[in-house]
Coordinates of all heavy atoms in Angstrom, one line a residue:
R1 N 151.2 -32.3 -40.4 CA 149.9 -31.9 -41.1 C 150.0 -32.0 -42.5 O 149.3 -32.7 -43.2 CB 149.6 -30.6 -40.6 CG 148.2 -30.0 -41.3 CD 147.7 -28.7 -40.8 NE 148.7 -27.6 -41.1 CZ 149.5 -27.0 -40.3 NH1 149.7 -27.4 -39.1 NH2 150.4 -26.1 -40.7
L2 N 151.2 -31.4 -43.0 CA 151.4 -31.6 -44.5 C 151.7 -33.0 -45.0 O 151.2 -33.5 -46.0 CB 152.6 -30.7 -44.9 CG 152.5 -29.2 -44.6 CD1 153.7 -28.4 -45.0 CD2 151.2 -28.6 -45.4
T3 N 152.5 -33.7 -44.2 CA 152.7 -35.1 -44.5 C 151.4 -35.9 -44.5 O 151.2 -36.8 -45.5 CB 153.8 -35.7 -43.6 OG1 154.9 -34.9 -43.6 CG2 154.2 -37.1 -44.1
E4 N 150.6 -35.7 -43.6 CA 149.4 -36.5 -43.4 C 148.4 -36.2 -44.7 O 147.8 -37.0 -45.3 CB 148.6 -36.2 -42.1 CG 147.4 -36.9 -42.1 CD 146.6 -36.7 -40.7 OE1 147.3 -36.2 -39.8 OE2 145.4 -36.9 -40.7
R5 N 148.4 -34.9 -45.0 CA 147.6 -34.5 -46.2 C 148.1 -35.1 -47.4 O 147.4 -35.6 -48.3 CB 147.7 -32.9 -46.3 CG 146.8 -32.4 -47.5 CD 147.2 -30.9 -47.7 NE 148.4 -31.0 -48.5 CZ 149.1 -29.8 -48.8 NH1 148.6 -28.6 -48.5 NH2 150.3 -29.9 -49.3
Q6 N 149.5 -35.1 -47.6 CA 150.0 -35.6 -48.9 C 149.7 -37.2 -48.8 O 149.5 -37.7 -50.0 CB 151.6 -35.3 -48.8 CG 152.2 -35.7 -50.2 CD 153.5 -35.2 -50.3 OE1 154.0 -34.5 -49.5 NE2 154.3 -35.7 -51.3
I7 N 149.9 -37.8 -47.6 CA 149.6 -39.3 -47.7 C 148.2 -39.5 -48.1 O 148.0 -40.5 -49.0 CB 149.9 -39.9 -46.2 CG1 151.4 -39.9 -46.0 CG2 149.3 -41.4 -46.2 CD1 151.7 -40.3 -44.6
K8 N 147.3 -38.7 -47.7 CA 145.9 -38.9 -48.0 C 145.7 -38.6 -49.6 O 144.9 -39.4 -50.2 CB 145.0 -38.0 -47.2 CG 144.8 -38.4 -45.7 CD 144.0 -37.4 -45.0 CE 143.8 -37.9 -43.5 NZ 142.9 -36.9 -42.8
E9 N 146.3 -37.7 -50.1 CA 146.3 -37.4 -51.4 C 146.8 -38.5 -52.3 O 146.2 -38.8 -53.3 CB 147.0 -36.1 -51.8 CG 146.4 -34.9 -51.2 CD 147.2 -33.6 -51.5 OE1 148.3 -33.5 -52.0 OE2 146.7 -32.5 -51.2
E10 N 147.9 -39.0 -51.8 CA 148.5 -40.2 -52.6 C 147.6 -41.4 -52.7 O 147.4 -42.0 -53.7 CB 149.9 -40.6 -52.0 CG 151.0 -39.5 -52.1 CD 151.6 -39.5 -53.5 OE1 151.4 -40.4 -54.3 OE2 152.3 -38.5 -53.8
F11 N 147.1 -41.7 -51.5 CA 146.2 -42.8 -51.4 C 144.8 -42.5 -52.1 O 144.2 -43.4 -52.7 CB 145.9 -43.2 -50.0 CG 147.0 -44.2 -49.4 CD1 148.1 -43.8 -48.7 CD2 146.9 -45.5 -49.6 CE1 149.1 -44.7 -48.2 CE2 147.9 -46.4 -49.2 CZ 148.9 -46.0 -48.4
E12 N 144.4 -41.3 -52.1 CA 143.2 -40.9 -52.8 C 143.4 -41.1 -54.3 O 142.4 -41.6 -55.0 CB 142.8 -39.5 -52.5 CG 141.5 -39.0 -53.2 CD 140.4 -39.8 -53.0 OE1 140.1 -40.4 -51.9 OE2 139.4 -39.9 -53.9
E13 N 144.5 -40.9 -54.7 CA 144.8 -41.1 -56.2 C 144.8 -42.6 -56.5 O 144.2 -43.0 -57.5 CB 146.2 -40.5 -56.6 CG 146.5 -40.7 -58.0 CD 148.0 -40.1 -58.4 OE1 148.5 -39.4 -57.5 OE2 148.2 -40.2 -59.5
L14 N 145.4 -43.4 -55.5 CA 145.3 -45.0 -55.7 C 143.9 -45.4 -55.7 O 143.5 -46.3 -56.4 CB 146.2 -45.6 -54.8 CG 147.8 -45.3 -54.9 CD1 148.5 -46.0 -53.7 CD2 148.3 -45.7 -56.2
H15 N 143.1 -44.8 -54.7 CA 141.9 -45.3 -54.4 C 140.9 -44.9 -55.6 O 140.1 -45.7 -56.1 CB 141.2 -44.6 -53.3 CG 141.8 -45.1 -51.9 ND1 141.8 -44.3 -50.8 CD2 142.6 -46.1 -51.7 CE1 142.4 -44.9 -49.8 NE2 142.9 -46.1 -50.3
Q16 N 141.1 -43.7 -56.2 CA 140.3 -43.3 -57.4 C 140.7 -44.2 -58.6 O 139.8 -44.6 -59.3 CB 140.6 -41.8 -57.7 CG 139.8 -41.3 -58.8 CD 138.4 -41.3 -58.5 OE1 137.9 -40.9 -57.3 NE2 137.5 -41.7 -59.3
F17 N 141.9 -44.6 -58.7 CA 142.3 -45.5 -59.9 C 141.6 -46.8 -59.6 O 141.1 -47.4 -60.6 CB 143.9 -45.6 -59.9 CG 144.3 -46.8 -60.8 CD1 144.5 -46.6 -62.1 CD2 144.5 -48.1 -60.2 CE1 144.9 -47.5 -62.9 CE2 145.0 -49.1 -61.1 CZ 145.0 -48.9 -62.4
L18 N 141.5 -47.3 -58.5 CA 140.9 -48.6 -58.1 C 139.5 -48.5 -58.4 O 138.8 -49.4 -58.9 CB 141.2 -49.0 -56.7 CG 142.7 -49.4 -56.5 CD1 143.0 -49.8 -55.0 CD2 143.1 -50.6 -57.4
R19 N 138.9 -47.3 -58.0 CA 137.4 -47.1 -58.2 C 137.1 -47.1 -59.7 O 136.2 -47.8 -60.1 CB 136.9 -45.8 -57.4 CG 136.9 -46.0 -55.9 CD 136.1 -45.0 -55.4 NE 136.8 -43.6 -55.4 CZ 137.6 -43.1 -54.5 NH1 137.8 -43.8 -53.5 NH2 138.2 -41.9 -54.7
D20 N 137.9 -46.4 -60.4 CA 137.7 -46.4 -61.9 C 137.9 -47.7 -62.5 O 137.2 -48.0 -63.4 CB 138.7 -45.3 -62.5 CG 138.4 -43.8 -62.0 OD1 137.3 -43.7 -61.5 OD2 139.3 -43.0 -62.1
E21 N 138.9 -48.4 -62.1 CA 139.2 -49.7 -62.7 C 138.0 -50.7 -62.3 O 137.6 -51.5 -63.2 CB 140.5 -50.2 -62.1 CG 141.0 -51.6 -62.8 CD 141.2 -51.3 -64.2 OE1 141.6 -50.1 -64.7 OE2 141.4 -52.4 -65.0
E22 N 137.5 -50.5 -61.1 CA 136.4 -51.4 -60.6 C 135.1 -51.0 -61.5 O 134.5 -52.0 -62.0 CB 136.1 -51.2 -59.2 CG 135.0 -52.0 -58.6 CD 134.7 -51.6 -57.3 OE1 135.2 -50.6 -56.7 OE2 133.6 -52.3 -56.7
A23 N 134.9 -49.8 -61.7 CA 133.7 -49.4 -62.4 C 133.8 -49.9 -63.8 O 132.8 -50.3 -64.5 CB 133.6 -47.9 -62.3
A24 N 135.1 -49.7 -64.5 CA 135.2 -50.2 -65.8 C 135.0 -51.6 -66.0 O 134.4 -52.0 -67.0 CB 136.6 -49.8 -66.3
R25 N 135.5 -52.4 -65.1 CA 135.3 -53.9 -65.2 C 134.0 -54.4 -64.9 O 133.5 -55.2 -65.6 CB 136.4 -54.6 -64.2 CG 137.8 -54.4 -64.7 CD 138.8 -55.1 -63.7 NE 140.1 -55.2 -64.3 CZ 140.5 -56.0 -65.1 NH1 139.7 -57.1 -65.4 NH2 141.8 -56.0 -65.6
I26 N 133.3 -53.7 -64.0 CA 131.8 -54.0 -63.8 C 131.0 -53.6 -64.9 O 130.1 -54.3 -65.3 CB 131.3 -53.2 -62.5 CG1 132.0 -53.9 -61.2 CG2 129.8 -53.3 -62.5 CD1 131.6 -53.2 -59.9
A27 N 131.4 -52.4 -65.6 CA 130.7 -52.0 -66.8 C 130.9 -53.0 -68.0 O 129.9 -53.4 -68.7 CB 131.1 -50.6 -67.3
A28 N 132.1 -53.5 -68.1 CA 132.4 -54.5 -69.1 C 131.6 -55.9 -68.9 O 131.0 -56.4 -69.8 CB 133.9 -54.8 -69.2
L29 N 131.5 -56.2 -67.5 CA 130.8 -57.4 -67.1 C 129.3 -57.1 -67.5 O 128.6 -58.1 -68.1 CB 131.0 -57.7 -65.7 CG 130.1 -58.7 -65.1 CD1 130.3 -60.2 -65.8 CD2 130.3 -58.9 -63.6
R30 N 128.8 -56.0 -67.2 CA 127.3 -55.8 -67.4 C 127.0 -55.7 -68.9 O 126.0 -56.1 -69.4 CB 126.9 -54.5 -66.7 CG 126.9 -54.6 -65.2 CD 126.5 -53.4 -64.6 NE 126.5 -53.5 -63.0 CZ 126.3 -52.5 -62.1 NH1 126.3 -51.3 -62.6 NH2 126.3 -52.8 -60.8
E31 N 128.0 -55.1 -69.7 CA 127.8 -55.1 -71.1 C 127.6 -56.5 -71.6 O 126.8 -56.8 -72.6 CB 128.9 -54.3 -71.8 CG 128.7 -54.2 -73.3 CD 129.8 -53.4 -73.9 OE1 130.7 -52.9 -73.2 OE2 129.8 -53.3 -75.2

């Protein structure tokens, strides 16, 4: 249970980074 939670947290951090990076690049494109 704890390992699964931690895996999800680790990947959520990576996912959030990718989402932020995607949003920043799309914002730059739209600008």
Side-chain angles (χ1 to χ4, degrees):
R1 186 174 62 255
L2 296 179
T3 305
E4 181 177 342
R5 186 198 68 189
Q6 191 171 350
I7 289 174
K8 289 182 177 180
E9 290 176 355
E10 294 281 349
F11 273 95
E12 177 57 28
E13 184 178 351
L14 296 176
H15 293 160
Q16 187 59 48
F17 170 82
L18 292 175
R19 285 193 292 267
D20 293 343
E21 187 66 19
E22 177 187 8
R25 289 181 172 272
I26 290 177
L29 172 63
R30 290 176 178 174
E31 182 180 358

